[in-house]
Amino acid sequence: MKILGVTSCPSGVAHTYMAAEALKKAALAKGHEVKVETQGSIGTENELTMDDVKSADVIVLTKDVSLANLERFEGKPTVKVAISDVVKKSNKIIEKIEEAFKNR
C-alpha cells in the first residue's frame, strides 16, 4: 500500500517533524511505501507531487492547524488525526488503515 502524509503543528517545529518520522517508521515497518510532506515553520519540505498523489492509496493528514493545498487530495481516501496521535500512536493508525483496506 502507498501511504502519503502531511504533518503540521501549531508551532510548526518539533511535532511536525516528529510526526512525519513516526508515520514513516510505522508504515515502513509494516512493509508499506510512504512519503510525508511537512508544513513547518520553515515552509513546505518533501512536497508531495501530483504523481505521488495519483498513485497513493490513502492520505494521512494532521488536523491541528490548517494545511495548505488540500484540494490536490480530492477523491482520495483521507484520514485526519491529531498531531499528538501521529507522534504517539502511528502504529495503531497504520493498523486501522490496513483494516479499512481489507474490507474494500
Side-chain angles (χ1 to χ4, degrees), residues 25-79:
K25 184 177 178 181
L28 290 172
K30 294 281 197 160
H32 300 295
E33 192 177 339
V34 63
K35 183 175 179 182
V36 182
E37 173 181 299
T38 56
Q39 295 182 8
S41 61
I42 59 172
T44 299
E45 294 179 283
N46 202 34
E47 188 168 358
L48 302 173
T49 67
M50 285 312 295
D51 286 339
D52 292 328
V53 174
K54 286 178 186 173
S55 64
D57 295 302
V58 64
I59 317 293
V60 177
L61 305 170
T62 57
K63 63 180 184 179
D64 302 81
V65 296
S66 294
L67 299 171
N69 303 317
L70 292 180
E71 65 280 354
R72 61 192 158 155
F73 306 126
E74 197 169 305
K76 286 287 183 178
T78 58
V79 177

mmCIF file of all heavy atoms in Angstrom, residues 25-79:
data_model
loop_
_atom_site.group_PDB
_atom_site.id
_atom_site.type_symbol
_atom_site.label_atom_id
_atom_site.label_comp_id
_atom_site.label_asym_id
_atom_site.label_seq_id
_atom_site.Cartn_x
_atom_site.Cartn_y
_atom_site.Cartn_z
ATOM 1 N N LYS A 25 8.207 5.630 9.942
ATOM 2 C CA LYS A 25 8.733 4.441 10.621
ATOM 3 C C LYS A 25 7.650 3.363 10.747
ATOM 4 O O LYS A 25 7.897 2.188 10.465
ATOM 5 C CB LYS A 25 9.256 4.837 12.003
ATOM 6 C CG LYS A 25 9.913 3.728 12.756
ATOM 7 C CD LYS A 25 10.473 4.235 14.080
ATOM 8 C CE LYS A 25 11.097 3.109 14.873
ATOM 9 N NZ LYS A 25 11.620 3.565 16.158
ATOM 10 N N ALA A 26 6.447 3.752 11.152
ATOM 11 C CA ALA A 26 5.364 2.787 11.335
ATOM 12 C C ALA A 26 4.947 2.159 10.010
ATOM 13 O O ALA A 26 4.724 0.945 9.928
ATOM 14 C CB ALA A 26 4.165 3.462 12.001
ATOM 15 N N ALA A 27 4.841 2.960 8.958
ATOM 16 C CA ALA A 27 4.428 2.444 7.644
ATOM 17 C C ALA A 27 5.493 1.511 7.072
ATOM 18 O O ALA A 27 5.172 0.430 6.557
ATOM 19 C CB ALA A 27 4.149 3.594 6.689
ATOM 20 N N LEU A 28 6.744 1.906 7.146
ATOM 21 C CA LEU A 28 7.826 1.069 6.622
ATOM 22 C C LEU A 28 7.933 -0.250 7.380
ATOM 23 O O LEU A 28 8.201 -1.290 6.780
ATOM 24 C CB LEU A 28 9.155 1.825 6.669
ATOM 25 C CG LEU A 28 9.287 2.995 5.683
ATOM 26 C CD1 LEU A 28 10.561 3.784 5.955
ATOM 27 C CD2 LEU A 28 9.250 2.501 4.240
ATOM 28 N N ALA A 29 7.703 -0.218 8.685
ATOM 29 C CA ALA A 29 7.771 -1.432 9.497
ATOM 30 C C ALA A 29 6.727 -2.454 9.068
ATOM 31 O O ALA A 29 6.928 -3.659 9.223
ATOM 32 C CB ALA A 29 7.601 -1.091 10.975
ATOM 33 N N LYS A 30 5.632 -1.969 8.506
ATOM 34 C CA LYS A 30 4.557 -2.854 8.037
ATOM 35 C C LYS A 30 4.691 -3.167 6.550
ATOM 36 O O LYS A 30 3.812 -3.779 5.954
ATOM 37 C CB LYS A 30 3.199 -2.203 8.287
ATOM 38 C CG LYS A 30 2.860 -2.030 9.739
ATOM 39 C CD LYS A 30 2.395 -3.344 10.303
ATOM 40 C CE LYS A 30 1.678 -3.122 11.611
ATOM 41 N NZ LYS A 30 0.842 -4.268 11.933
ATOM 42 N N GLY A 31 5.777 -2.693 5.923
ATOM 43 C CA GLY A 31 6.036 -3.014 4.529
ATOM 44 C C GLY A 31 5.348 -2.114 3.517
ATOM 45 O O GLY A 31 5.242 -2.467 2.349
ATOM 46 N N HIS A 32 4.901 -0.951 3.957
ATOM 47 C CA HIS A 32 4.216 -0.030 3.052
ATOM 48 C C HIS A 32 5.188 0.990 2.472
ATOM 49 O O HIS A 32 6.212 1.303 3.079
ATOM 50 C CB HIS A 32 3.095 0.706 3.793
ATOM 51 C CG HIS A 32 2.069 -0.211 4.360
ATOM 52 N ND1 HIS A 32 1.254 -0.995 3.590
ATOM 53 C CD2 HIS A 32 1.745 -0.485 5.646
ATOM 54 C CE1 HIS A 32 0.456 -1.707 4.367
ATOM 55 N NE2 HIS A 32 0.744 -1.419 5.626
ATOM 56 N N GLU A 33 4.817 1.512 1.332
ATOM 57 C CA GLU A 33 5.535 2.626 0.727
ATOM 58 C C GLU A 33 4.981 3.894 1.377
ATOM 59 O O GLU A 33 3.765 4.011 1.583
ATOM 60 C CB GLU A 33 5.263 2.631 -0.775
ATOM 61 C CG GLU A 33 6.145 3.526 -1.587
ATOM 62 C CD GLU A 33 5.833 3.404 -3.074
ATOM 63 O OE1 GLU A 33 5.252 2.403 -3.514
ATOM 64 O OE2 GLU A 33 6.181 4.355 -3.782
ATOM 65 N N VAL A 34 5.837 4.855 1.702
ATOM 66 C CA VAL A 34 5.363 6.036 2.413
ATOM 67 C C VAL A 34 6.177 7.266 2.028
ATOM 68 O O VAL A 34 7.378 7.171 1.761
ATOM 69 C CB VAL A 34 5.410 5.811 3.950
ATOM 70 C CG1 VAL A 34 6.819 5.593 4.441
ATOM 71 C CG2 VAL A 34 4.743 6.950 4.713
ATOM 72 N N LYS A 35 5.494 8.397 1.980
ATOM 73 C CA LYS A 35 6.151 9.690 1.784
ATOM 74 C C LYS A 35 5.361 10.708 2.592
ATOM 75 O O LYS A 35 4.131 10.709 2.562
ATOM 76 C CB LYS A 35 6.173 10.088 0.305
ATOM 77 C CG LYS A 35 6.912 11.399 0.043
ATOM 78 C CD LYS A 35 7.025 11.697 -1.451
ATOM 79 C CE LYS A 35 7.744 13.020 -1.675
ATOM 80 N NZ LYS A 35 7.820 13.342 -3.115
ATOM 81 N N VAL A 36 6.080 11.555 3.324
ATOM 82 C CA VAL A 36 5.421 12.525 4.187
ATOM 83 C C VAL A 36 5.938 13.924 3.900
ATOM 84 O O VAL A 36 7.148 14.169 3.923
ATOM 85 C CB VAL A 36 5.630 12.191 5.688
ATOM 86 C CG1 VAL A 36 4.888 13.183 6.564
ATOM 87 C CG2 VAL A 36 5.180 10.764 5.997
ATOM 88 N N GLU A 37 5.014 14.820 3.625
ATOM 89 C CA GLU A 37 5.309 16.241 3.435
ATOM 90 C C GLU A 37 5.166 16.933 4.786
ATOM 91 O O GLU A 37 4.221 16.663 5.525
ATOM 92 C CB GLU A 37 4.297 16.819 2.442
ATOM 93 C CG GLU A 37 4.361 18.319 2.272
ATOM 94 C CD GLU A 37 3.309 18.813 1.278
ATOM 95 O OE1 GLU A 37 3.359 18.403 0.104
ATOM 96 O OE2 GLU A 37 2.427 19.583 1.697
ATOM 97 N N THR A 38 6.105 17.819 5.098
ATOM 98 C CA THR A 38 5.985 18.614 6.314
ATOM 99 C C THR A 38 5.700 20.064 5.939
ATOM 100 O O THR A 38 6.275 20.587 4.980
ATOM 101 C CB THR A 38 7.263 18.546 7.180
ATOM 102 O OG1 THR A 38 8.389 18.946 6.393
ATOM 103 C CG2 THR A 38 7.493 17.135 7.720
ATOM 104 N N GLN A 39 4.784 20.661 6.676
ATOM 105 C CA GLN A 39 4.467 22.081 6.500
ATOM 106 C C GLN A 39 4.799 22.756 7.823
ATOM 107 O O GLN A 39 3.936 22.955 8.673
ATOM 108 C CB GLN A 39 2.995 22.260 6.113
ATOM 109 C CG GLN A 39 2.660 21.663 4.768
ATOM 110 C CD GLN A 39 1.214 21.883 4.349
ATOM 111 O OE1 GLN A 39 0.454 22.611 4.984
ATOM 112 N NE2 GLN A 39 0.823 21.251 3.251
ATOM 113 N N GLY A 40 6.097 23.042 7.998
ATOM 114 C CA GLY A 40 6.591 23.579 9.257
ATOM 115 C C GLY A 40 6.867 25.068 9.192
ATOM 116 O O GLY A 40 6.512 25.753 8.226
ATOM 117 N N SER A 41 7.531 25.550 10.214
ATOM 118 C CA SER A 41 7.813 26.981 10.320
ATOM 119 C C SER A 41 8.768 27.468 9.230
ATOM 120 O O SER A 41 8.802 28.654 8.921
ATOM 121 C CB SER A 41 8.392 27.303 11.696
ATOM 122 O OG SER A 41 9.599 26.594 11.893
ATOM 123 N N ILE A 42 9.522 26.555 8.616
ATOM 124 C CA ILE A 42 10.438 26.962 7.544
ATOM 125 C C ILE A 42 9.851 26.700 6.161
ATOM 126 O O ILE A 42 10.544 26.771 5.165
ATOM 127 C CB ILE A 42 11.820 26.290 7.692
ATOM 128 C CG1 ILE A 42 11.707 24.769 7.658
ATOM 129 C CG2 ILE A 42 12.514 26.748 8.946
ATOM 130 C CD1 ILE A 42 13.053 24.068 7.612
ATOM 131 N N GLY A 43 8.544 26.385 6.137
ATOM 132 C CA GLY A 43 7.866 26.163 4.862
ATOM 133 C C GLY A 43 7.625 24.695 4.592
ATOM 134 O O GLY A 43 7.801 23.847 5.457
ATOM 135 N N THR A 44 7.227 24.404 3.380
ATOM 136 C CA THR A 44 6.920 23.036 2.977
ATOM 137 C C THR A 44 8.200 22.319 2.564
ATOM 138 O O THR A 44 8.994 22.846 1.791
ATOM 139 C CB THR A 44 5.928 23.042 1.797
ATOM 140 O OG1 THR A 44 4.725 23.677 2.226
ATOM 141 C CG2 THR A 44 5.619 21.639 1.316
ATOM 142 N N GLU A 45 8.370 21.126 3.101
ATOM 143 C CA GLU A 45 9.515 20.292 2.754
ATOM 144 C C GLU A 45 9.018 18.923 2.320
ATOM 145 O O GLU A 45 7.977 18.463 2.777
ATOM 146 C CB GLU A 45 10.446 20.133 3.950
ATOM 147 C CG GLU A 45 11.111 21.439 4.372
ATOM 148 C CD GLU A 45 11.997 21.237 5.580
ATOM 149 O OE1 GLU A 45 11.453 21.132 6.688
ATOM 150 O OE2 GLU A 45 13.220 21.176 5.389
ATOM 151 N N ASN A 46 9.765 18.284 1.434
ATOM 152 C CA ASN A 46 9.435 16.959 0.915
ATOM 153 C C ASN A 46 8.046 16.987 0.267
ATOM 154 O O ASN A 46 7.219 16.090 0.477
ATOM 155 C CB ASN A 46 9.501 15.914 2.036
ATOM 156 C CG ASN A 46 9.704 14.523 1.503
ATOM 157 O OD1 ASN A 46 10.379 14.322 0.499
ATOM 158 N ND2 ASN A 46 9.122 13.547 2.166
ATOM 159 N N GLU A 47 7.808 18.025 -0.519
ATOM 160 C CA GLU A 47 6.488 18.265 -1.102
ATOM 161 C C GLU A 47 6.014 17.081 -1.945
ATOM 162 O O GLU A 47 6.761 16.530 -2.746
ATOM 163 C CB GLU A 47 6.515 19.523 -1.960
ATOM 164 C CG GLU A 47 5.156 19.945 -2.440
ATOM 165 C CD GLU A 47 5.153 21.340 -3.045
ATOM 166 O OE1 GLU A 47 6.211 22.005 -3.070
ATOM 167 O OE2 GLU A 47 4.081 21.753 -3.488
ATOM 168 N N LEU A 48 4.766 16.721 -1.743
ATOM 169 C CA LEU A 48 4.164 15.629 -2.495
ATOM 170 C C LEU A 48 3.860 16.100 -3.907
ATOM 171 O O LEU A 48 3.302 17.176 -4.100
ATOM 172 C CB LEU A 48 2.869 15.175 -1.812
ATOM 173 C CG LEU A 48 3.018 14.706 -0.367
ATOM 174 C CD1 LEU A 48 1.647 14.438 0.250
ATOM 175 C CD2 LEU A 48 3.894 13.469 -0.293
ATOM 176 N N THR A 49 4.221 15.287 -4.881
ATOM 177 C CA THR A 49 3.965 15.628 -6.277
ATOM 178 C C THR A 49 2.599 15.085 -6.689
ATOM 179 O O THR A 49 2.023 14.239 -5.999
ATOM 180 C CB THR A 49 5.039 15.011 -7.196
ATOM 181 O OG1 THR A 49 4.898 13.583 -7.159
ATOM 182 C CG2 THR A 49 6.449 15.414 -6.772
ATOM 183 N N MET A 50 2.103 15.526 -7.824
ATOM 184 C CA MET A 50 0.835 15.003 -8.322
ATOM 185 C C MET A 50 0.969 13.523 -8.660
ATOM 186 O O MET A 50 0.015 12.763 -8.491
ATOM 187 C CB MET A 50 0.333 15.813 -9.518
ATOM 188 C CG MET A 50 -0.235 17.177 -9.120
ATOM 189 S SD MET A 50 -1.403 17.143 -7.722
ATOM 190 C CE MET A 50 -2.754 16.193 -8.388
ATOM 191 N N ASP A 51 2.133 13.083 -9.099
ATOM 192 C CA ASP A 51 2.354 11.653 -9.337
ATOM 193 C C ASP A 51 2.255 10.870 -8.022
ATOM 194 O O ASP A 51 1.691 9.772 -7.990
ATOM 195 C CB ASP A 51 3.710 11.400 -9.994
ATOM 196 C CG ASP A 51 3.736 11.793 -11.459
ATOM 197 O OD1 ASP A 51 2.652 11.881 -12.081
ATOM 198 O OD2 ASP A 51 4.843 12.020 -11.982
ATOM 199 N N ASP A 52 2.820 11.430 -6.945
ATOM 200 C CA ASP A 52 2.696 10.801 -5.627
ATOM 201 C C ASP A 52 1.224 10.634 -5.275
ATOM 202 O O ASP A 52 0.787 9.556 -4.858
ATOM 203 C CB ASP A 52 3.358 11.647 -4.526
ATOM 204 C CG ASP A 52 4.861 11.726 -4.618
ATOM 205 O OD1 ASP A 52 5.498 10.753 -5.072
ATOM 206 O OD2 ASP A 52 5.407 12.781 -4.215
ATOM 207 N N VAL A 53 0.464 11.707 -5.433
ATOM 208 C CA VAL A 53 -0.946 11.702 -5.059
ATOM 209 C C VAL A 53 -1.736 10.712 -5.910
ATOM 210 O O VAL A 53 -2.544 9.934 -5.393
ATOM 211 C CB VAL A 53 -1.543 13.125 -5.158
ATOM 212 C CG1 VAL A 53 -3.043 13.112 -4.901
ATOM 213 C CG2 VAL A 53 -0.840 14.069 -4.182
ATOM 214 N N LYS A 54 -1.483 10.706 -7.213
ATOM 215 C CA LYS A 54 -2.219 9.806 -8.109
ATOM 216 C C LYS A 54 -2.011 8.342 -7.725
ATOM 217 O O LYS A 54 -2.930 7.533 -7.821
ATOM 218 C CB LYS A 54 -1.793 10.019 -9.556
ATOM 219 C CG LYS A 54 -2.335 11.283 -10.160
ATOM 220 C CD LYS A 54 -1.827 11.460 -11.576
ATOM 221 C CE LYS A 54 -2.262 12.810 -12.124
ATOM 222 N NZ LYS A 54 -1.666 13.102 -13.427
ATOM 223 N N SER A 55 -0.804 7.988 -7.308
ATOM 224 C CA SER A 55 -0.503 6.592 -7.006
ATOM 225 C C SER A 55 -0.769 6.204 -5.548
ATOM 226 O O SER A 55 -0.621 5.044 -5.182
ATOM 227 C CB SER A 55 0.954 6.282 -7.365
ATOM 228 O OG SER A 55 1.841 7.033 -6.570
ATOM 229 N N ALA A 56 -1.193 7.159 -4.738
ATOM 230 C CA ALA A 56 -1.421 6.884 -3.312
ATOM 231 C C ALA A 56 -2.717 6.124 -3.086
ATOM 232 O O ALA A 56 -3.705 6.325 -3.795
ATOM 233 C CB ALA A 56 -1.449 8.188 -2.531
ATOM 234 N N ASP A 57 -2.697 5.271 -2.080
ATOM 235 C CA ASP A 57 -3.910 4.575 -1.663
ATOM 236 C C ASP A 57 -4.666 5.368 -0.607
ATOM 237 O O ASP A 57 -5.890 5.335 -0.554
ATOM 238 C CB ASP A 57 -3.552 3.193 -1.100
ATOM 239 C CG ASP A 57 -2.965 2.293 -2.171
ATOM 240 O OD1 ASP A 57 -3.656 2.061 -3.189
ATOM 241 O OD2 ASP A 57 -1.819 1.846 -2.003
ATOM 242 N N VAL A 58 -3.932 6.053 0.255
ATOM 243 C CA VAL A 58 -4.547 6.800 1.356
ATOM 244 C C VAL A 58 -3.648 7.959 1.753
ATOM 245 O O VAL A 58 -2.425 7.885 1.616
ATOM 246 C CB VAL A 58 -4.829 5.867 2.563
ATOM 247 C CG1 VAL A 58 -3.552 5.321 3.153
ATOM 248 C CG2 VAL A 58 -5.674 6.551 3.621
ATOM 249 N N ILE A 59 -4.287 9.018 2.249
ATOM 250 C CA ILE A 59 -3.565 10.208 2.699
ATOM 251 C C ILE A 59 -3.837 10.406 4.184
ATOM 252 O O ILE A 59 -5.005 10.432 4.599
ATOM 253 C CB ILE A 59 -4.048 11.485 1.954
ATOM 254 C CG1 ILE A 59 -4.236 11.262 0.456
ATOM 255 C CG2 ILE A 59 -3.139 12.666 2.270
ATOM 256 C CD1 ILE A 59 -3.006 10.998 -0.342
ATOM 257 N N VAL A 60 -2.788 10.566 4.980
ATOM 258 C CA VAL A 60 -2.921 10.848 6.405
ATOM 259 C C VAL A 60 -2.615 12.327 6.605
ATOM 260 O O VAL A 60 -1.543 12.805 6.226
ATOM 261 C CB VAL A 60 -1.957 9.991 7.257
ATOM 262 C CG1 VAL A 60 -2.071 10.348 8.728
ATOM 263 C CG2 VAL A 60 -2.222 8.503 7.030
ATOM 264 N N LEU A 61 -3.576 13.057 7.194
ATOM 265 C CA LEU A 61 -3.435 14.491 7.412
ATOM 266 C C LEU A 61 -3.539 14.804 8.893
ATOM 267 O O LEU A 61 -4.410 14.261 9.585
ATOM 268 C CB LEU A 61 -4.545 15.257 6.675
ATOM 269 C CG LEU A 61 -4.692 15.001 5.175
ATOM 270 C CD1 LEU A 61 -5.972 15.632 4.659
ATOM 271 C CD2 LEU A 61 -3.482 15.536 4.436
ATOM 272 N N THR A 62 -2.675 15.676 9.380
ATOM 273 C CA THR A 62 -2.853 16.142 10.755
ATOM 274 C C THR A 62 -3.901 17.243 10.746
ATOM 275 O O THR A 62 -4.033 17.982 9.777
ATOM 276 C CB THR A 62 -1.527 16.649 11.361
ATOM 277 O OG1 THR A 62 -0.982 17.683 10.546
ATOM 278 C CG2 THR A 62 -0.520 15.510 11.487
ATOM 279 N N LYS A 63 -4.658 17.337 11.833
ATOM 280 C CA LYS A 63 -5.807 18.238 11.848
ATOM 281 C C LYS A 63 -5.705 19.375 12.852
ATOM 282 O O LYS A 63 -6.671 20.089 13.068
ATOM 283 C CB LYS A 63 -7.081 17.442 12.106
ATOM 284 C CG LYS A 63 -7.115 16.753 13.460
ATOM 285 C CD LYS A 63 -8.403 15.989 13.631
ATOM 286 C CE LYS A 63 -8.475 15.379 15.024
ATOM 287 N NZ LYS A 63 -9.728 14.665 15.219
ATOM 288 N N ASP A 64 -4.543 19.591 13.428
ATOM 289 C CA ASP A 64 -4.400 20.605 14.476
ATOM 290 C C ASP A 64 -4.342 22.029 13.939
ATOM 291 O O ASP A 64 -4.692 22.966 14.642
ATOM 292 C CB ASP A 64 -3.148 20.315 15.313
ATOM 293 C CG ASP A 64 -3.211 18.939 15.934
ATOM 294 O OD1 ASP A 64 -2.909 17.963 15.230
ATOM 295 O OD2 ASP A 64 -3.592 18.846 17.112
ATOM 296 N N VAL A 65 -3.865 22.194 12.729
ATOM 297 C CA VAL A 65 -3.798 23.503 12.070
ATOM 298 C C VAL A 65 -4.210 23.328 10.616
ATOM 299 O O VAL A 65 -4.212 22.216 10.092
ATOM 300 C CB VAL A 65 -2.379 24.129 12.146
ATOM 301 C CG1 VAL A 65 -1.975 24.420 13.584
ATOM 302 C CG2 VAL A 65 -1.354 23.260 11.475
ATOM 303 N N SER A 66 -4.540 24.419 9.970
ATOM 304 C CA SER A 66 -4.908 24.358 8.552
ATOM 305 C C SER A 66 -3.702 23.945 7.724
ATOM 306 O O SER A 66 -2.597 24.453 7.933
ATOM 307 C CB SER A 66 -5.392 25.722 8.070
ATOM 308 O OG SER A 66 -6.585 26.060 8.723
ATOM 309 N N LEU A 67 -3.936 23.048 6.805
ATOM 310 C CA LEU A 67 -2.892 22.601 5.894
ATOM 311 C C LEU A 67 -3.101 23.250 4.537
ATOM 312 O O LEU A 67 -4.240 23.510 4.138
ATOM 313 C CB LEU A 67 -2.929 21.077 5.740
ATOM 314 C CG LEU A 67 -2.697 20.271 7.018
ATOM 315 C CD1 LEU A 67 -2.969 18.799 6.774
ATOM 316 C CD2 LEU A 67 -1.275 20.473 7.530
ATOM 317 N N ALA A 68 -2.027 23.488 3.834
ATOM 318 C CA ALA A 68 -2.087 24.124 2.514
ATOM 319 C C ALA A 68 -2.305 23.078 1.423
ATOM 320 O O ALA A 68 -1.872 21.929 1.541
ATOM 321 C CB ALA A 68 -0.790 24.893 2.250
ATOM 322 N N ASN A 69 -2.971 23.479 0.370
ATOM 323 C CA ASN A 69 -3.119 22.688 -0.864
ATOM 324 C C ASN A 69 -3.857 21.362 -0.683
ATOM 325 O O ASN A 69 -3.503 20.367 -1.311
ATOM 326 C CB ASN A 69 -1.751 22.432 -1.506
ATOM 327 C CG ASN A 69 -1.012 23.706 -1.804
ATOM 328 O OD1 ASN A 69 -1.595 24.669 -2.286
ATOM 329 N ND2 ASN A 69 0.271 23.724 -1.498
ATOM 330 N N LEU A 70 -4.891 21.355 0.125
ATOM 331 C CA LEU A 70 -5.635 20.114 0.340
ATOM 332 C C LEU A 70 -6.451 19.688 -0.872
ATOM 333 O O LEU A 70 -6.789 18.512 -1.010
ATOM 334 C CB LEU A 70 -6.556 20.252 1.560
ATOM 335 C CG LEU A 70 -5.851 20.367 2.908
ATOM 336 C CD1 LEU A 70 -6.873 20.490 4.022
ATOM 337 C CD2 LEU A 70 -4.935 19.176 3.144
ATOM 338 N N GLU A 71 -6.733 20.619 -1.772
ATOM 339 C CA GLU A 71 -7.531 20.290 -2.956
ATOM 340 C C GLU A 71 -6.875 19.210 -3.808
ATOM 341 O O GLU A 71 -7.546 18.479 -4.533
ATOM 342 C CB GLU A 71 -7.819 21.542 -3.805
ATOM 343 C CG GLU A 71 -6.594 22.186 -4.414
ATOM 344 C CD GLU A 71 -5.782 23.091 -3.479
ATOM 345 O OE1 GLU A 71 -6.202 23.358 -2.338
ATOM 346 O OE2 GLU A 71 -4.692 23.517 -3.904
ATOM 347 N N ARG A 72 -5.578 19.047 -3.712
ATOM 348 C CA ARG A 72 -4.881 18.030 -4.520
ATOM 349 C C ARG A 72 -5.241 16.611 -4.090
ATOM 350 O O ARG A 72 -4.988 15.661 -4.820
ATOM 351 C CB ARG A 72 -3.366 18.248 -4.459
ATOM 352 C CG ARG A 72 -2.796 18.130 -3.061
ATOM 353 C CD ARG A 72 -1.371 18.641 -2.974
ATOM 354 N NE ARG A 72 -1.101 18.987 -1.596
ATOM 355 C CZ ARG A 72 0.078 19.004 -1.057
ATOM 356 N NH1 ARG A 72 1.136 18.739 -1.796
ATOM 357 N NH2 ARG A 72 0.232 19.322 0.202
ATOM 358 N N PHE A 73 -5.858 16.464 -2.918
ATOM 359 C CA PHE A 73 -6.229 15.142 -2.419
ATOM 360 C C PHE A 73 -7.692 14.794 -2.671
ATOM 361 O O PHE A 73 -8.162 13.739 -2.237
ATOM 362 C CB PHE A 73 -5.927 15.036 -0.925
ATOM 363 C CG PHE A 73 -4.513 15.385 -0.570
ATOM 364 C CD1 PHE A 73 -4.234 16.343 0.390
ATOM 365 C CD2 PHE A 73 -3.437 14.768 -1.211
ATOM 366 C CE1 PHE A 73 -2.932 16.676 0.716
ATOM 367 C CE2 PHE A 73 -2.134 15.087 -0.895
ATOM 368 C CZ PHE A 73 -1.875 16.045 0.073
ATOM 369 N N GLU A 74 -8.385 15.656 -3.386
ATOM 370 C CA GLU A 74 -9.801 15.440 -3.654
ATOM 371 C C GLU A 74 -10.012 14.083 -4.336
ATOM 372 O O GLU A 74 -9.317 13.729 -5.286
ATOM 373 C CB GLU A 74 -10.323 16.552 -4.562
ATOM 374 C CG GLU A 74 -11.825 16.662 -4.572
ATOM 375 C CD GLU A 74 -12.291 17.925 -5.255
ATOM 376 O OE1 GLU A 74 -11.847 19.025 -4.840
ATOM 377 O OE2 GLU A 74 -13.068 17.804 -6.205
ATOM 378 N N GLY A 75 -10.957 13.316 -3.799
ATOM 379 C CA GLY A 75 -11.253 11.997 -4.353
ATOM 380 C C GLY A 75 -10.412 10.870 -3.773
ATOM 381 O O GLY A 75 -10.665 9.701 -4.068
ATOM 382 N N LYS A 76 -9.421 11.194 -2.971
ATOM 383 C CA LYS A 76 -8.570 10.172 -2.345
ATOM 384 C C LYS A 76 -9.065 9.911 -0.916
ATOM 385 O O LYS A 76 -9.498 10.826 -0.224
ATOM 386 C CB LYS A 76 -7.111 10.655 -2.259
ATOM 387 C CG LYS A 76 -6.390 10.658 -3.578
ATOM 388 C CD LYS A 76 -6.077 9.248 -3.990
ATOM 389 C CE LYS A 76 -5.294 9.189 -5.278
ATOM 390 N NZ LYS A 76 -4.965 7.817 -5.637
ATOM 391 N N PRO A 77 -8.983 8.663 -0.471
ATOM 392 C CA PRO A 77 -9.324 8.390 0.930
ATOM 393 C C PRO A 77 -8.350 9.135 1.848
ATOM 394 O O PRO A 77 -7.133 9.088 1.634
ATOM 395 C CB PRO A 77 -9.143 6.884 1.073
ATOM 396 C CG PRO A 77 -9.064 6.345 -0.310
ATOM 397 C CD PRO A 77 -8.611 7.460 -1.195
ATOM 398 N N THR A 78 -8.893 9.838 2.832
ATOM 399 C CA THR A 78 -8.046 10.569 3.767
ATOM 400 C C THR A 78 -8.391 10.194 5.200
ATOM 401 O O THR A 78 -9.531 9.831 5.501
ATOM 402 C CB THR A 78 -8.178 12.099 3.608
ATOM 403 O OG1 THR A 78 -9.533 12.474 3.798
ATOM 404 C CG2 THR A 78 -7.709 12.563 2.244
ATOM 405 N N VAL A 79 -7.388 10.291 6.051
ATOM 406 C CA VAL A 79 -7.535 10.061 7.477
ATOM 407 C C VAL A 79 -6.998 11.311 8.157
ATOM 408 O O VAL A 79 -5.852 11.699 7.922
ATOM 409 C CB VAL A 79 -6.722 8.821 7.924
ATOM 410 C CG1 VAL A 79 -6.815 8.622 9.422
ATOM 411 C CG2 VAL A 79 -7.162 7.585 7.177
#
